[in-house]
Each structure stands twice: as C-alpha cells, then as structure tokens.
Amino acid sequence: MPHETPEIKDNLLDTKAYTSMKEPALEGDSAVITDLTPSIDSVDEISNLKSEPLDPYSLEHGLLDHRPQPQEQWQSFDQIPLSPVEPRHYTQILIETAAISITFISILSVFLIFVATIPLPIAAIVIPALLLIGSAITWLRYLNAKAIGYAVCPHELVMQTGIIWVKRISLPYTRLQHISLSQGPLERKFYLRTLKCFSAGSGSAEIELPGLESKTAEKLRQHLLSMAAIAIKTTAIVNEKEVNEEEVKREEPTVDGAEQ
C-alpha cells in the first residue's frame, strides 16, 4: 500500500495553495495579471497515483527517482482526440490552389504556343499533362487540409498535419511566448484566420494552425495566453519555493550548533 510522508503532504498542500493564480488581461500580445483562481487537476491526479513507497533518504535529500516506469503507465500521445478545422477551410484551399494552377498553366500555355512556337501535336500533349499535374496538386492540398487537427489540452497545445508523413506537434504552455493571428484575402472572404504560436528562443512559428473561425481563433488566442501566463507564474513560484527550501536546509545545521 502506498503511503504519504509528511513532506509529500506538505508539497501537495503547497501546490494546491499555488492554484490561486492570476489571469492575464490581454493587451495585444502582452499579458497583464488580474485575479483568477484556476483549478489544477494535476494535483488531484498526483495524490491519487498508486506507486511504491519512495525511499526516505531520497525524499530527504531531494534525489530523483530513477526506477523504470512500466509501459502500461506511459501516457499515449497518439490517443489524444483531435478537433478538425472549419470545413470552409477545405473550400478555401480548393479555390486558392485551383486559381493558382489555372493561372500558371494558362500563362505557360500561351508562352509555349505563341513564344516558343512548339508544334501543336506536342502542345496537345503538354497542356493536358500540366492540367493533370495541377489537378493532382489541388487534390493533395485538399486532403492535407482535411488531415489538420488540433487539441487544446490542460498543459499543452497539440496539432497534427500530414497525409503520408504524419507530423504531430506538442507545444507546452510554459514555452509559449507569442501568439499572432493572420488573415489573407481569401480567408477574409470565408471569415477564417490562421493562429501562429511562437515558442521561446524560436524565430519562426512552432505551430501554424489555419482554418479557424474568426471568433474561435480570437477566443483560443486569449485562452492560450492565459494558460501560458498561469503556467509561467506557477513555475516561478515552485522554483522560488525550492530555492527557499534549499536555503533553509543550509541554515539548519548552523542553528542546531548554536543551540547546543
């Protein structure tokens, strides 16, 4: 049966006390802290975990537990349910790609016939081949748009893309630094936006999520900034607590010696 040492109980109580955080009032891409008390489910999950008793020496000296974790307890990254983007995004991709393909093929056909003056039998083969290639690219982009999915988790934002080579990106809120919304001319026509998330130390967007409805994109942006501010604040408080505990432990032998 698992047991809780006094240090574990104190840490859990302290962690619950830290749930009284502050919500950022958004001003552009910055965050100003106002009062908020979010719930941290991980505290209850930690208290309900069933594990073997930890070594008291390891707890006392703050050593890491290097025991291997059974595979049954591994968290499955592939089983996170994903939400699709707006169906209007699929139509936008079809129109956008088809328009670009037709424009390119038309210009190239005029060049081949009137400038390069290739024979008509060869042009009759080349132009349909270009049309076939343009149709294939349009269809692949459509399938790629339908393969986009995302999930807003308690501690991270997950996005999946790709048809053959599937790519799934996980961005923890503690690394989230900047969020922007972009909208092209065709996206404006369909009332869609693209959400771009930048992590600390990265010059390019770590996650670029297109096909979000305008109101949903703005609401998601505010939520992510709030979660990022809370995560960063929580990490800072926990780090400060650990530093204070280390200082207290260093001072304890001196105090005991003085009393003796």
Side-chain angles (χ1 to χ4, degrees):
M1 294 292 293
H3 67 276
E4 294 183 351
T5 64
E7 295 184 7
I8 295 178
K9 292 182 178 179
D10 293 340
N11 291 335
L12 290 175
L13 293 175
D14 293 340
T15 307
K16 292 180 179 179
Y18 295 148
T19 59
S20 179
M21 294 292 107
K22 297 181 177 180
E23 179 186 22
L26 302 174
E27 298 179 357
D29 294 324
S30 61
V32 180
I33 303 301
T34 56
D35 291 336
L36 177 69
T37 56
S39 61
I40 298 181
D41 297 334
S42 58
V43 176
D44 296 332
E45 294 175 358
I46 293 174
S47 62
N48 294 329
L49 288 178
K50 294 181 179 180
S51 59
E52 298 179 2
L54 296 177
D55 184 8
Y57 179 84
S58 300
L59 291 174
E60 180 180 356
H61 293 80
L63 300 179
L64 296 177
D65 183 14
H66 294 286
R67 291 175 299 179
Q69 189 177 18
Q71 185 174 354
E72 293 76 12
Q73 298 182 9
W74 293 357
Q75 293 184 354
S76 178
F77 185 66
D78 295 332
Q79 294 181 354
I80 300 176
L82 301 177
S83 302
V85 297
E86 287 291 327
R88 297 194 302 272
H89 178 62
Y90 313 148
T91 307
Q92 172 211 330
I93 291 298
L94 280 176
I95 296 176
E96 178 182 297
T97 311
I100 295 175
S101 299
I102 292 174
T103 302
F104 175 78
I105 293 172
S106 300
I107 295 175
L108 185 59
S109 300
V110 171
F111 173 81
L112 293 176
I113 296 174
F114 296 100
V115 179
T117 62
I118 65 173
L120 290 179
I122 298 178
I125 298 175
V126 173
I127 294 176
L130 293 175
L131 290 173
L132 183 61
I133 295 174
S135 301
I137 294 175
T138 302
W139 182 248
L140 287 176
R141 286 204 64 196
Y142 173 77
L143 293 179
N144 186 69
K146 294 196 69 173
I148 297 175
Y150 68 99
V152 183
C153 302
H155 308 289
E156 60 188 353
L157 176 65
V158 179
M159 178 184 175
Q160 177 174 299
T161 58
I163 305 172
I164 301 176
W165 291 276
V166 180
K167 181 180 180 181
R168 182 171 289 197
I169 305 173
S170 174
L171 180 60
Y173 297 141
T174 53
R175 296 183 60 240
L176 186 58
Q177 188 176 37
H178 174 67
I179 303 175
S180 65
L181 293 176
S182 62
Q183 188 180 52
L186 201 55
E187 285 180 318
R188 192 177 302 111
K189 181 68 176 179
F190 286 92
Y191 302 99
L192 299 174
R193 289 190 176 185
T194 299
L195 181 78
K196 297 180 181 180
C197 299
F198 299 83
S199 62
S202 176
S204 58
E206 184 119 359
I207 288 182
E208 188 168 342
L209 180 60
L212 296 177
E213 201 271 334
S214 295
K215 293 182 180 179
T216 303
E218 182 60 35
K219 185 176 181 180
L220 178 58
R221 175 179 175 273
Q222 294 179 3
H223 173 74
L224 294 178
L225 285 175
S226 300
M227 297 301 294
I230 292 172
I232 294 173
K233 185 69 174 180
T234 304
T235 303
I237 293 177
V238 171
N239 292 338
E240 183 180 357
K241 176 179 178 296
E242 292 178 353
V243 171
N244 293 336
E245 289 179 351
E246 289 296 331
E247 294 179 353
V248 170
K249 289 180 180 180
R250 292 175 182 176
E251 294 176 357
E252 281 180 356
T254 304
V255 174
D256 294 339
E259 290 180 355
Q260 292 177 356

